[in-house]
Amino acid sequence: MLREMKRPLVILTAFLALAACGGESGNAHKVAQNSSNPTPAAASSPSSGRHIPFTLTIKAIGLTAIVEQVGRDKYGNMAIPANPKDVGWYAPGVAPGENGDAVIDGHLDWYNMPQGPFYHLSELKTGDQIEVQALDGTVFVFTVVAPGSTVPYNSKPAGLFSTTGKPRLTLITCAGDWNAQKQTYTKREIVNAVLTATHGASS
């Protein structure tokens, strides 16, 4: 595992095709190997009037984190949060509360940070709640529909980044064993949740 090697980890990012979770020592924000290509359908620019996420709270694992808006890096991949304590929402895609799949990723750990915001993501269970508070104060409550699942790092889960269907949320981080040659974890942890309540919507 990477921690045993005293090397930094970074998150899985969203679409999983060609995704990696590694980083070169002393180069924490080079993300070419840390992310993966979102689907073209999710590549539209964010529109005004949407509920832009500000914080993510998961009481079941004791997490409250700032949500950064991330887009694509120069390689066309979903970028990682600039602050490793934050989580990253793919802003060109679906916003929480909109129809389709809003995607948020987070670090497992990072340089000099043994536990990142999604370190305990795999502990979530069916029925656990995830709250996303928007900048305008609206709170979207999502409910986990099944225990998290792991998939190969280069897989392409159906529905990820979809812009259709009922509002849902996907959380993603790294899992499996560290592959030093590929500089990535061998698997990804994915948690899926559906919108079950909205509070304090602004007019």
Side-chain angles (χ1 to χ4, degrees), residues 54-77:
F54 174 58
T55 61
L56 175 78
T57 299
I58 310 176
K59 293 180 180 178
I61 58 174
L63 172 67
T64 296
I66 298 295
V67 179
E68 293 186 21
Q69 298 182 50
V70 301
R72 299 187 184 203
D73 62 21
K74 64 181 180 179
Y75 299 93
N77 301 320

Side-chain angles (χ1 to χ4, degrees), residues 4-67:
E4 296 171 353
M5 298 168 62
K6 305 299 182 182
R7 290 175 56 85
L9 299 182
V10 298
I11 54 164
L12 147 79
T13 56
F15 190 57
L16 304 181
L18 305 179
C21 287
E24 297 178 4
S25 179
N27 203 1
H29 294 294
K30 288 198 70 174
V31 296
Q33 297 299 318
N34 299 336
S35 55
S36 52
N37 290 314
T39 60
S44 60
S45 298
S47 60
S48 60
R50 299 199 302 169
H51 298 283
I52 304 303
F54 174 58
T55 61
L56 175 78
T57 299
I58 310 176
K59 293 180 180 178
I61 58 174
L63 172 67
T64 296
I66 298 295
V67 179

Side-chain angles (χ1 to χ4, degrees), residues 101-140:
D101 186 35
V103 179
I104 294 178
D105 56 21
H107 291 274
L108 182 66
D109 59 9
W110 190 242
Y111 295 89
N112 301 315
M113 188 175 71
Q115 297 187 10
F118 280 175
Y119 187 85
H120 295 288
L121 191 67
S122 63
E123 299 173 14
L124 290 180
K125 304 180 298 297
T126 302
D128 285 341
Q129 293 189 333
I130 301 166
E131 294 185 359
V132 179
Q133 181 172 348
L135 288 170
D136 64 6
T138 305
V139 177
F140 298 97

